[in-house]
Amino acid sequence: MGTNFNLKTLAVAVAAFSVASMSNAAGLDRSGQDITAFLQDGTYAEVSYTYLDADVTGKDISGNNIDDIAESYDFFRYGVKADINDTFSVGVLYDEPFGAAADYSGKNDFVSHEPNPIFEGLIPPNGEGTNVEVRTESITAIIGAKLGENKNFQVYGGPVAQRVQADVKLRGTAYSVADGYTTHISADQDYGWIAGMAYSKPEIALQAALTYRSEIEHNTNAAELYPFAQSPLIGLSANRSGNIEITTPESVNFDFQTGINPTTLATAKVRWVPWSDFAITPSLYNEASQVLATRPQGAGIPPEGLDLVSYDKDQWQVELGLAKRLTPALAVSGNIGWDSGAGNPVTSLGPIEGYYSAGLGAKYNVTENWAISAGGKYLWFGDAKGQIPSKTVVSDFQDNDGYVLGAKISYQSK
């Protein structure tokens, strides 16, 4: 007979992993859309807080220094799950799955310090830097059903409500004729779905789950200001307010854990997101680039025009970890991770090509039901060249890093 690891004896170690995991990934990925709160036994609730501070510096094409463009950000995650009976479970999860926060400053090609000779007086220099802010919120409702004689299999799914909004400012000679472009994308809420399956074998603390999230199509308003669009070369209005379609990407998550011995747990997380299918394409920006493509000055611009933001490759993310129960109430964990990035060169609004990471965490059971967790992770960002939408490389970012801190309060009653 094999050793019985008993999931209950290892439970103190489980949540130590997810405190500061899967943060600041490729494209606009942030939270990793973790659903492990729903996979816990019995009645379970958690509140998690994550803070990320990155140092992303580089040089523009002229050799000028670019000071740290990465704005620190934080977000919360909430989850609650309950068993209706030994077959059916329900849960609700909240997270902030996608986002961006970058702000250029200093004296470089991404700040409007000097008059841009292209504009012939259309806009004056104002000392304003390129800036982007994207925020999303997501609420997922899940119902699951356990199957099989021993209830080892579970299928689950449900609706997802997602809210998105964005602001982008392009400033400086790096963006050529798009210097001075601004768009405000109004908040919009739309809906998608989640589906998955899981397998568990409690006697060896084994649990595996495969989760799919659908893409979500948002239709909202974009208010654009594009000073150069009113030039004789383009011949359009400088202002436009109209519809924009933004489709946040689908994703697949694989979560795995198993006991190695009665006090040690191993985990693995794998995530795939097809960022190569994602784009933000405001209508005035795109139409102006289509017109420019017909002019000699628009050599290299495709006839269909340009996206404001897009990515060339899909994201793969892997995280491996070990957790050790030191006492009946205390466990520690460690993990390493890798993120592929979403291409290089990549948009100058997020010039990072993935990362490697290493993290530590701990969980302490304050009472039989209540626990607190804390963790941190160090990130080594991949070197990347920043490009503008026309695919022209305008910057170089090297030797950058960051860190993530997280804390969690959880309740569980079995």
Side-chain angles (χ1 to χ4, degrees), residues 293-370:
T294 66
R295 310 287 194 260
Q297 297 89 337
I301 297 178
E304 65 272 18
L306 300 174
D307 303 313
L308 181 60
V309 177
S310 63
Y311 300 94
D312 295 331
K313 294 184 178 181
D314 296 344
Q315 168 201 359
W316 284 94
Q317 191 178 61
V318 179
E319 189 170 273
L320 305 174
L322 285 173
K324 178 73 174 179
R325 182 170 61 87
L326 302 180
T327 73
L330 176 65
V332 295
S333 65
N335 58 64
I336 57 173
W338 168 78
D339 186 288
S340 67
N344 186 27
V346 69
T347 172
S348 57
L349 302 178
I352 293 171
E353 189 191 16
Y355 64 77
Y356 290 94
S357 69
L360 295 172
K363 180 186 178 187
Y364 182 75
N365 276 27
V366 180
T367 69
E368 181 180 356
N369 303 117
W370 289 94

Side-chain angles (χ1 to χ4, degrees), residues 267-285:
T267 70
K269 291 175 176 285
V270 180
R271 177 168 167 81
W272 171 79
V273 186
W275 284 108
S276 60
D277 296 335
F278 174 84
I280 298 176
T281 314
S283 64
L284 177 57
Y285 185 88

Side-chain angles (χ1 to χ4, degrees), residues 249-264:
E250 62 185 341
S251 64
V252 177
N253 281 24
F254 176 68
D255 296 277
F256 177 83
Q257 69 174 50
T258 187
I260 297 177
N261 60 48
T263 62
T264 307

Side-chain angles (χ1 to χ4, degrees), residues 56-289:
V56 180
T57 63
K59 292 183 179 294
D60 64 22
I61 199 68
S62 304
N64 300 310
N65 289 329
I66 299 173
D67 297 333
D68 184 14
I69 69 168
E71 296 187 297
S72 60
Y73 65 84
D74 58 0
F75 59 89
F76 284 92
R77 288 185 294 177
Y78 310 97
V80 61
K81 175 260 179 182
D83 293 331
I84 299 174
N85 50 42
D86 63 353
T87 298
F88 293 101
S89 303
V90 293
V92 177
L93 308 175
Y94 167 88
D95 73 344
E96 299 180 25
F98 308 116
D103 188 19
Y104 283 81
S105 60
K107 189 174 179 61
N108 55 67
D109 293 347
F110 296 87
V111 180
S112 297
H113 281 301
E114 302 296 333
N116 190 331
I118 295 176
F119 289 102
E120 300 178 352
L122 289 174
I123 59 171
N126 57 13
E128 193 173 31
T130 296
N131 179 275
V132 59
E133 183 172 357
V134 180
R135 293 201 72 109
T136 64
E137 297 176 280
S138 181
I139 297 178
T140 303
I142 309 179
I143 184 168
K146 294 181 178 178
L147 310 172
E149 182 179 353
N150 297 316
K151 306 294 185 181
N152 294 113
F153 293 91
Q154 184 179 36
V155 293
Y156 51 88
V160 179
Q162 186 182 90
R163 185 176 182 269
V164 61
Q165 64 179 16
D167 289 277
V168 178
K169 298 177 181 179
L170 305 183
R171 300 292 185 269
T173 56
Y175 293 101
S176 185
V177 298
D179 181 7
Y181 175 83
T182 301
T183 184
H184 168 70
I185 298 175
S186 299
D188 176 74
Q189 180 172 301
D190 224 300
Y191 303 90
W193 52 276
I194 184 175
M197 61 182 68
Y199 172 79
S200 64
K201 193 172 182 179
E203 58 267 27
I204 60 171
L206 186 149
Q207 187 176 79
L210 186 66
T211 307
Y212 172 82
R213 285 180 178 269
S214 73
E215 62 182 25
I216 298 179
E217 183 179 306
H218 296 269
N219 286 280
T220 185
N221 182 77
E224 300 176 77
L225 170 64
Y226 195 166
F228 193 72
Q230 65 184 322
S231 70
L233 186 65
I234 304 296
L236 299 173
S237 170
N239 293 275
R240 178 179 295 181
S241 182
N243 183 72
I244 185 172
E245 180 181 303
I246 298 176
T247 302
T248 55
E250 62 185 341
S251 64
V252 177
N253 281 24
F254 176 68
D255 296 277
F256 177 83
Q257 69 174 50
T258 187
I260 297 177
N261 60 48
T263 62
T264 307
L265 191 73
T267 70
K269 291 175 176 285
V270 180
R271 177 168 167 81
W272 171 79
V273 186
W275 284 108
S276 60
D277 296 335
F278 174 84
I280 298 176
T281 314
S283 64
L284 177 57
Y285 185 88
N286 178 256
E287 185 178 346
S289 66

